[in-house]
Amino acid sequence: MGMISRVLIFGLLVVVTIWGVIVSHGPVQATPADTVVYSWAYPNLGSHQQVCKAIVTHPVTNQRTPKDSSRQRVVVRSHLVDPQFCQSAQ
């Protein structure tokens, strides 16, 4: 086998390997950003004083896709923040 044949076979193997890696990963999907909403709310049941809360909605991307594509699984967390956040949101 000549030197040119070896180079061509090696080049073909490299191209096939790279193509296989690219195809196996599928399309790139953008990472969804968290949604943050600031709202006046009661800190717990039975409380009479409202506080400013940040309600964070984080999409769950490592779960199986739901049967209904219009729905998406999310994790919702809230925490107390400075009242200025709620005043600027009004």
Side-chain angles (χ1 to χ4, degrees), residues 13-75:
L13 288 174
V14 169
V15 169
V16 168
T17 303
I18 292 173
W19 180 255
V21 170
I22 291 172
V23 171
S24 69
H25 286 291
V28 176
Q29 295 180 354
T31 305
D34 292 351
T35 302
V36 181
V37 176
Y38 298 99
S39 175
W40 290 104
Y42 296 103
N44 51 37
L45 291 175
S47 179
H48 299 289
Q49 182 180 7
Q50 289 190 339
V51 294
C52 182
K53 282 188 171 185
I55 302 166
V56 181
T57 306
H58 177 76
V60 178
T61 56
N62 60 352
Q63 298 286 328
R64 290 185 304 151
T65 306
K67 293 177 184 175
D68 183 2
S69 62
S70 65
R71 295 179 166 188
Q72 182 178 15
R73 296 175 191 248
V74 295
V75 174

Side-chain angles (χ1 to χ4, degrees), residues 68-87:
D68 183 2
S69 62
S70 65
R71 295 179 166 188
Q72 182 178 15
R73 296 175 191 248
V74 295
V75 174
V76 179
R77 295 188 178 101
S78 67
H79 58 275
L80 302 179
V81 294
D82 190 278
Q84 290 179 343
F85 287 100
C86 289
Q87 291 170 355

